Amino acid sequence: MVRIQSVTPHSPADICGVKEGDILEKINGHDVKDVLDYMYYAADTSVELEIMRDGEKMVFWAEKDEYDDLGLEFETFLMDKKQSCTNKCVFCFIDQMPEGMRETLYFKDDDARLSFLQGNYVTLTNLEQSDIDRIIQMKLNINVSVHTTNPELRVEMMHNRFAGEKLKYIRQLADNGIKLNCQIVCCPDLNDGDELRRSLSDLGELMPNITSMAVVPVGLTKFREGLYPLKSFTKEKAAETLDIIEEFQREFLEKYGTRTVFPSDEFYIIAERELPSYEEYEDFSQYENGVGMLRSLIYEFDSALEDAEWEGGERHVSIATGYSAYNTMCGLAKKAEEKFPELKCDVFRIRNDFFGESITVSGLITARDLIAQLKHEKLGEELLISQSMLRSGSDVFLDDMTVSDVENELRVKVRASANDGYELLDAIMALLA
């Protein structure tokens, strides 16, 4: 039962008589509590809408093409509140943030609906059997944060007494044909080594409905006072973890024709190993988990550079990046300079003083760190940064400063570029509007 905020003019709902302010109670006889119910039950070509208007129950019939939207807008995208996390994971990044940041950064999302709709990862700990039944009924493929398949260890890592028993949902979903992408945040001396082998082996038994697995190293900020005593990965530990993952990749490739499990790029950087080839990442199914981002960037940049032609005069541009991508960016800049002698492209490695030096990804660099470390540098005509440094759809950094603030402090135009090799080269060559 949800209130309709607006009705799109000339939409199926508008044509059949539904109005703003009506309360939607049922679709085709089914209760509607959120966006999943709305999307699932409204997919038919003929839709019966049970509406409450000014205390009077009314029924409307909407005719449309299959899967076309009815044209109803609600107060929130989910038509409900976001489901928050009930865990207290030992590695939780939100627990490692300083006070005083914007309120939305402290919200711990663990919503299975957003897993299906937007690709978020969920732990399943706040779900009941009825939720699992609905996922199976609606055939909703989701992304699951597993971390370990050892029930006792999962309880310890998540500080949730139900975390271990909820592992049964993973098997239940897979056995019913639900496709699952899984992730493991790997913590040295906790869920690595033999525990990682156990987790990969257990999940491997559920293939092919476990369609991919990502293993990412724990990220530790300097704000960990009073938290679980975790360690960062050393070069040796990262190498051991890569060996385990590559062992399972070979096994899965031989048995199923796919590697399935992939380590994030950070493991190769920490272990000082070469990135795998472009082909070894297969369909880049765990790209958003930082798996294959650097290899994809190199591949795209090289492809773009091969066909690029220089059309301008001399140009000096700078790139600011985190420690983890620094060597890759230096390599790309050098290739561009070698092909175009008129171009000078400097790369600056930004130390993360805000969160701590162990945080090396570009997406967590703040405006204040950019300003402090670049204010005395010759940056040329433009400073290029990763789009990931900014809040989605905005020009605001994590510390609430804006791109304009950085431009004013550094006295240089700042251009944000997506993690895309073609767009990066266009930005370097000033081909973007």
Side-chain angles (χ1 to χ4, degrees):
M1 182 185 298
V2 285
R3 185 176 297 276
I4 297 168
Q5 189 172 48
S6 65
V7 181
T8 304
H10 312 299
S11 66
D14 181 41
I15 292 170
C16 76
V18 179
K19 295 182 178 181
E20 175 185 334
D22 287 346
I23 295 175
L24 176 62
E25 292 192 330
K26 293 186 178 184
I27 296 179
N28 289 343
H30 299 280
D31 292 334
V32 177
K33 66 177 183 179
D34 63 15
V35 66
L36 293 187
D37 290 334
Y38 174 72
M39 293 173 63
Y40 185 74
Y41 296 121
D44 292 342
T45 56
S46 183
V47 180
E48 181 190 65
L49 303 172
E50 293 188 29
I51 297 291
M52 183 69 71
R53 179 183 296 169
D54 298 327
E56 181 183 354
K57 185 169 291 188
M58 310 176 75
V59 177
F60 298 90
W61 284 92
E63 302 293 331
K64 62 182 187 61
D65 291 335
E66 190 174 18
Y67 299 115
D68 277 2
D69 187 54
L70 284 168
L72 301 179
E73 297 290 336
F74 305 91
E75 185 176 351
T76 65
F77 168 65
L78 290 173
M79 301 164 60
D80 190 17
K81 293 181 179 179
K82 284 185 182 179
Q83 294 175 356
S84 61
C85 184
T86 58
N87 310 313
K88 185 75 172 175
C89 294
V90 296
F91 50 79
C92 179
F93 194 84
I94 293 176
D95 289 341
Q96 303 178 69
M97 294 202 302
E99 297 179 356
M101 303 180 73
R102 60 179 177 269
E103 187 176 344
T104 54
L105 292 175
Y106 299 101
F107 181 77
K108 299 181 182 181
D109 162 53
D110 197 13
D111 199 312
R113 298 166 300 183
L114 291 177
S115 181
F116 168 70
L117 295 167
Q118 298 180 350
N120 297 16
Y121 277 80
V122 292
T123 64
L124 307 179
T125 56
N126 59 5
L127 300 187
E128 302 299 333
Q129 185 60 50
S130 59
D131 300 308
I132 300 300
D133 292 341
R134 184 168 76 145
I135 291 171
I136 293 170
Q137 177 195 358
M138 295 183 176
K139 298 179 173 59
L140 307 179
N141 300 327
I142 62 174
N143 303 328
V144 180
S145 292
V146 180
H147 307 314
T148 177
T149 58
N150 178 336
E152 293 78 17
L153 180 57
R154 198 168 196 250
V155 168
E156 179 185 351
M157 291 186 68
M158 294 186 176
H159 284 181
N160 184 322
R161 62 193 179 96
F162 301 110
E165 68 180 66
K166 299 291 183 173
L167 285 168
K168 66 184 178 183
Y169 289 157
I170 297 175
R171 178 172 291 277
Q172 189 175 346
L173 291 168
D175 286 347
N176 281 277
I178 302 301
K179 304 297 184 183
L180 305 172
N181 293 310
C182 299
Q183 73 170 357
I184 294 172
V185 175
C186 203
C187 306
D189 300 331
L190 194 57
N191 63 335
D192 63 339
D194 287 341
E195 288 293 347
L196 179 60
R197 287 190 177 89
R198 170 178 175 164
S199 296
L200 298 182
S201 179
D202 289 345
L203 293 173
E205 293 177 2
L206 303 179
M207 291 173 63
N209 287 327
I210 300 294
T211 55
S212 70
M213 310 175 216
V215 183
V216 302
V218 62
L220 305 179
T221 78
K222 64 183 181 183
F223 303 101
R224 289 197 55 83
E225 185 177 352
L227 298 180
Y228 192 98
L230 292 174
K231 305 174 184 176
S232 295
F233 271 92
T234 62
K235 177 181 177 180
E236 292 72 25
K237 276 285 188 179
E240 290 173 14
T241 302
L242 284 175
D243 289 343
I244 293 171
I245 295 169
E246 290 169 359
E247 169 192 331
F248 277 90
Q249 284 184 325
R250 291 189 293 269
E251 177 185 327
F252 293 154
L253 186 62
E254 181 178 350
K255 191 178 295 186
Y256 302 105
T258 172
R259 292 171 179 82
T260 306
V261 57
F262 301 93
S264 72
D265 296 353
E266 288 179 84
F267 275 114
Y268 292 99
I269 295 165
I270 297 169
E272 298 179 13
R273 288 190 182 179
E274 285 290 318
L275 293 168
S277 68
Y278 185 85
E279 292 71 24
E280 288 179 73
Y281 286 102
E282 299 179 7
D283 62 355
F284 288 81
S285 57
Q286 291 279 356
Y287 184 86
E288 297 301 325
N289 254 324
V291 175
M293 277 190 168
L294 293 179
R295 178 52 71 195
S296 177
L297 182 69
I298 295 168
Y299 178 86
E300 292 165 350
F301 190 91
D302 289 348
S303 298
L305 188 62
E306 187 175 344
D307 299 325
E309 296 181 2
W310 190 258
E311 299 177 354
E314 292 187 355
R315 174 167 166 79
H316 178 197
V317 65
S318 297
I319 299 174
T321 188
Y323 274 44
S324 58
Y326 176 73
N327 289 336
T328 296
M329 287 296 184
C330 286
L332 300 182
K334 182 178 180 181
K335 291 177 185 178
E337 289 178 333
E338 288 175 348
K339 181 163 184 176
F340 303 120
E342 303 93 337
L343 173 68
K344 181 182 181 188
C345 185
D346 294 322
V347 182
F348 292 95
R349 179 168 51 187
I350 304 301
R351 182 182 62 254
N352 200 319
D353 291 331
F354 186 85
F355 285 111
E357 292 186 33
S358 62
I359 301 298
T360 61
V361 296
S362 297
L364 293 175
I365 291 174
T366 62
R368 287 177 175 80
D369 280 344
L370 282 175
I371 293 167
Q373 296 173 47
L374 297 178
K375 61 184 177 182
H376 298 305
E377 301 291 348
K378 294 180 180 180
L379 302 174
E381 300 162 37
E382 285 188 311
L383 173 67
L384 308 183
I385 63 171
S386 170
Q387 187 73 50
S388 64
M389 294 183 194
L390 306 175
R391 188 195 310 175
S392 178
S394 78
D395 66 348
V396 180
F397 290 84
L398 277 171
D399 54 0
D400 283 336
M401 294 186 71
T402 66
V403 168
S404 295
D405 293 331
V406 176
E407 289 178 331
N408 292 335
E409 291 289 338
L410 296 180
R411 300 181 182 278
V412 68
K413 177 177 174 55
V414 175
R415 184 193 297 270
S417 173
N419 192 71
D420 176 285
Y422 298 99
E423 185 171 322
L424 176 61
L425 183 61
D426 283 349
I428 290 174
M429 296 175 65
L431 298 180
L432 292 179

